[in-house]
Amino acid sequence: MRVLILLPPSEGKTAPASGPSLELGSLLDAERLTPPRREVMSALAEVSRRPDGPSVLGLGPRSAELAEANLSLEASPCAPAYQLFTGVLYEAAGLDSIARNTAGRRALERHCVIFSGLWGVLSPTDSVPNHRLSMGTSLPGPGRLSSFWKRHLAPSLIGMAAHGLVVDCRSADYAAAWRPSVRDSIEVMTVRVVRVDDDGCRKVVSHMAKQARGLLTGELLRAVCARSLPAQAQADDVAGVTGQLDGVHDVEVSEPDRQGRRVLTIVTR
């Protein structure tokens, strides 16, 4: 089964100093998703101009100026999403190094999708400008973005993931925008990361979880490039790759639930 990795975006970004302008027609599934993307862009610009815009966008006083990037989306320079996003998960995944050759770029395009409050979904190679908008935001018009995108994304993603294995590395807000299931001929592995203390207690640690998901993403994509991951990959194949990651103490795979979803638990120390 084809592996498709679902990623959240990153709050941490490196705004490009130069680059091409935004071309909505070049983004993932543009024919279907350009109208809703334009709707969100318009609502975002309206909110970002308001005095309370930073508050609506969840920006504190020290980061309020980040809302200004939303006012020039179509004129600002763009960079591929794998370069724009620079948070913990993306640093650990090393997507920039994977994209340096044709095989790596093809792997990114075929096996990885980034969810976005602004764009819905992106290929890692899609070029977009710096922006600030999370999936948990509610905008006048579109409303809560996870609910808005849920109405639009399923047709695009079911086609990409059908008869395949989804490795879901998203956080809760982004997962709400599309929940694949066995009814769509899709198997799902949700990645969970826990740390085991010396007393045996397990704790969920956000920073460590992002890093582990990033490491797993990078290793899976490199395995695709090296053809060491079977074309018809199964849950055990993904678990095997996970067990080779640095810092991993154990790997657990649950039985599938009624929706065909398993939990891949990465245990660290």
Side-chain angles (χ1 to χ4, degrees), residues 141-211:
R144 188 170 180 83
L145 292 172
S146 56
S147 299
F148 173 85
W149 284 116
K150 188 175 184 178
R151 301 195 298 269
H152 297 283
L153 295 182
S156 302
L157 293 166
I158 288 173
M160 295 182 65
H163 307 291
L165 175 62
V166 164
V167 179
D168 194 347
C169 296
R170 299 173 295 169
S171 51
D173 282 337
Y174 294 91
W178 181 56
R179 298 189 185 279
S181 75
V182 71
R183 291 175 298 180
D184 303 316
S185 300
I186 301 169
E187 292 189 22
V188 184
M189 297 182 75
T190 299
V191 180
R192 176 174 176 261
V193 184
V194 299
R195 185 184 71 191
V196 177
D197 291 337
D198 292 339
D199 60 5
C201 293
R202 293 187 172 191
K203 298 179 180 178
V204 176
V205 183
S206 177
H207 181 91
M208 187 176 293
K210 292 177 181 178
Q211 183 180 46

Side-chain angles (χ1 to χ4, degrees), residues 225-246:
C225 293
R227 298 186 179 180
S228 58
L229 189 70
Q232 301 297 317
Q234 306 290 326
D236 287 346
D237 298 311
V238 174
V241 172
T242 307
Q244 301 302 312
L245 300 177
D246 289 342

Side-chain angles (χ1 to χ4, degrees), residues 62-107:
R62 295 183 179 180
S63 56
E65 71 280 357
L66 295 177
E68 295 178 5
N70 298 331
L71 299 176
S72 55
L73 294 173
E74 297 194 72
S76 297
C78 295
Y82 66 80
Q83 293 180 338
L84 178 68
F85 296 126
T86 53
V88 173
L89 186 154
Y90 286 85
E91 288 182 1
L95 301 187
D96 200 7
S97 64
I98 294 172
R100 288 175 184 168
N101 57 58
T102 301
R105 289 182 67 86
R106 186 180 299 116

Side-chain angles (χ1 to χ4, degrees), residues 41-137:
M41 287 172 64
S42 177
L44 176 61
E46 181 180 340
V47 164
S48 298
R49 292 188 187 98
R50 290 168 20 184
D52 66 339
S55 176
V56 174
L57 299 176
L59 300 173
R62 295 183 179 180
S63 56
E65 71 280 357
L66 295 177
E68 295 178 5
N70 298 331
L71 299 176
S72 55
L73 294 173
E74 297 194 72
S76 297
C78 295
Y82 66 80
Q83 293 180 338
L84 178 68
F85 296 126
T86 53
V88 173
L89 186 154
Y90 286 85
E91 288 182 1
L95 301 187
D96 200 7
S97 64
I98 294 172
R100 288 175 184 168
N101 57 58
T102 301
R105 289 182 67 86
R106 186 180 299 116
L108 289 178
E109 292 168 351
R110 285 182 49 82
H111 297 276
C112 193
V113 172
I114 300 170
F115 279 66
S116 165
L118 179 52
W119 317 108
V121 286
L122 294 169
S123 165
T125 60
D126 283 347
S127 288
V128 289
N130 187 32
H131 58 280
R132 185 59 180 255
L133 182 63
S134 69
M135 190 69 83
T137 302

